Amino acid sequence: MSTGFTVIRDNTPASAIPKGAVVAMGNFDGVHLGHRAVIGAALAMGRAHGVPALAVTFEPHPRSFFSPNTPQFRLTDETNKLRLLAATGLAGAVVMTFDKARAGTSAQDFIHHDLIGRLGISGIAVGYDFHFGKGRVGSPSLLVSEAPRLGIEVDVQAHVDIEERPVSSSAIRMALAEGEIADATTMLGGPWFVTGKVIHGEKRGRDLGYPTANIRLDKHCGLKHGIYAVRVGNGSQRFDGVASFGRRPTFDNGAPLLEVFLFDFKGDLYDAVLDVAFIGFIREELKFDTIEALIRQMDDDSAKARALLAAAPDAFPQLGVIG
């Protein structure tokens, strides 16, 4: 196994899989504080036994497989999930393809064939509510009951609460849908972010004095339409800015678009792939009667964004390198 964060897939040769590792198993959408408790337990178990700790996760998200026609707002796509996992201290991740065959695998077969046979795990950490196997029969209690016979250690993590509310991916999605950025950030343990390529737009921002980097987000993105204070990553560079996500009601009321204005930046970002972290919500999207009124509001939005960003100078997701 190479150094750094290694990704193991269904076609990875068995000889390249480190036998005896411990794993943290879950879907890990968002890699929030509840997920991090499971990961922390696996890391502690790995240190105690002197073996590497890996994440075991599934792609596509099982929810997308079982409900293909239902819009799915994912907090992190596969790549960003792995980048977040790579920053936790894990040695790598096992990405299992979730397809018809996987959905039809019994919990016992999954444990014996996938976890013990192929991965050769010595321990596993899961969340209290994680289920697996055909019919979701697999559970933390099943793993605990099987552990002595299998000779593995099992750690089941309780839910993580913030102000008596359980942290969950669905709760974070709801917070983002309501523009509650502070709540989402708290549950995630860092700012929520998206990644996308800068595309050409209508160039209206230039005429308004606010040239923007435009990014088309996933069509199922459930973020509330509005204006946000953002911090943008371009490789190792960081830029503060203000962003609009929505349909541009003053102009065309078109398909949702993320438009980011970077403060104190000169240059060409077309085709650049940017990480955009959402630091604070400023206001809802509005329609203006005049361009002058829009510009005055944009000036005010920028001032508020600068203040929010100044109050959180180091806010940016911790991302690792997928090796």
Side-chain angles (χ1 to χ4, degrees):
M1 185 174 181
S2 61
T3 58
F5 187 83
T6 301
V7 179
I8 298 165
R9 300 189 182 275
D10 294 349
N11 59 358
T12 299
S15 60
I17 299 174
K19 298 301 187 289
V22 301
V23 298
M25 186 164 68
N27 291 315
F28 299 125
D29 188 23
V31 194
H32 57 59
L33 292 183
H35 298 146
R36 290 174 187 272
V38 175
I39 292 165
L43 288 169
M45 195 186 301
R47 285 192 297 269
H49 297 288
V51 296
L54 309 170
V56 169
T57 191
F58 305 88
E59 288 292 338
H61 194 292
R63 194 171 58 245
S64 298
F65 173 83
F66 288 115
S67 302
N69 298 319
T70 302
Q72 308 290 351
F73 173 23
R74 286 189 57 165
L75 298 175
T76 45
D77 61 17
E78 179 182 345
T79 298
N80 280 342
K81 176 169 69 174
L82 291 173
R83 293 170 76 198
L84 287 166
L85 290 172
T88 63
L90 291 169
V94 181
V95 180
M96 296 185 176
T97 302
F98 200 90
D99 53 14
K100 185 177 181 180
R102 184 82 62 198
T105 300
S106 72
Q108 289 285 358
D109 282 350
F110 179 79
I111 293 172
H112 289 274
H113 178 268
D114 293 287
L115 297 181
I116 303 299
R118 177 164 166 77
L119 298 181
I121 69 168
S122 61
I124 184 170
V126 293
Y128 73 101
D129 60 347
F130 186 76
H131 289 78
F132 59 95
K134 184 177 180 180
R136 290 170 54 83
V137 172
S139 65
S141 60
L142 176 64
L143 289 170
V144 170
S145 67
E146 290 285 285
R149 187 165 62 85
L150 297 172
I152 63 172
E153 183 176 350
V154 176
D155 186 297
V156 180
Q157 286 292 302
H159 53 79
V160 172
D161 294 341
I162 294 177
E163 296 180 352
E164 300 183 357
R165 292 185 303 164
V167 171
S168 68
S169 297
S170 58
I172 296 166
R173 292 187 196 98
M174 187 176 299
L176 293 171
E178 296 174 352
E180 300 291 347
I181 297 299
D183 283 353
T185 300
T186 299
M187 289 187 281
L188 285 165
W192 180 69
F193 76 107
V194 295
T195 302
K197 180 182 288 189
V198 178
I199 61 175
H200 288 272
E202 298 296 328
K203 311 289 194 297
R204 294 193 191 99
R206 291 182 183 179
D207 297 332
L208 300 175
Y210 283 91
T212 58
N214 303 320
I215 298 172
R216 190 77 68 188
L217 302 187
D218 184 272
K219 64 181 180 179
H220 299 313
C221 178
L223 177 68
K224 181 182 179 71
H225 289 183
I227 311 302
Y228 295 86
V230 297
R231 183 158 288 129
V232 176
N234 182 19
S236 61
Q237 296 178 299
R238 300 287 179 267
F239 303 97
D240 287 353
V242 61
S244 167
F245 178 60
R247 297 183 179 276
R248 305 161 305 284
T250 302
F251 297 105
D252 59 7
N253 211 33
L257 185 69
L258 179 65
E259 301 172 283
V260 184
F261 171 68
L262 301 181
F263 302 141
D264 312 313
F265 175 81
K266 303 290 185 184
D268 181 0
L269 288 172
Y270 289 121
D271 292 329
V273 176
L274 304 180
D275 296 315
V276 182
F278 292 79
I279 309 303
F281 179 76
I282 296 173
R283 64 171 175 85
E284 295 188 3
E285 191 174 40
L286 300 172
K287 182 176 181 178
F288 295 89
D289 294 330
T290 66
I291 297 301
E292 291 75 20
L294 172 60
I295 293 173
R296 285 195 299 272
Q297 184 63 61
M298 292 168 73
D299 291 342
D300 184 62
D301 296 338
S302 295
K304 289 177 178 175
R306 286 183 185 272
L308 286 167
L309 292 159
D314 301 317
F316 199 75
Q318 294 296 310
L319 303 172
V321 177
I322 304 170

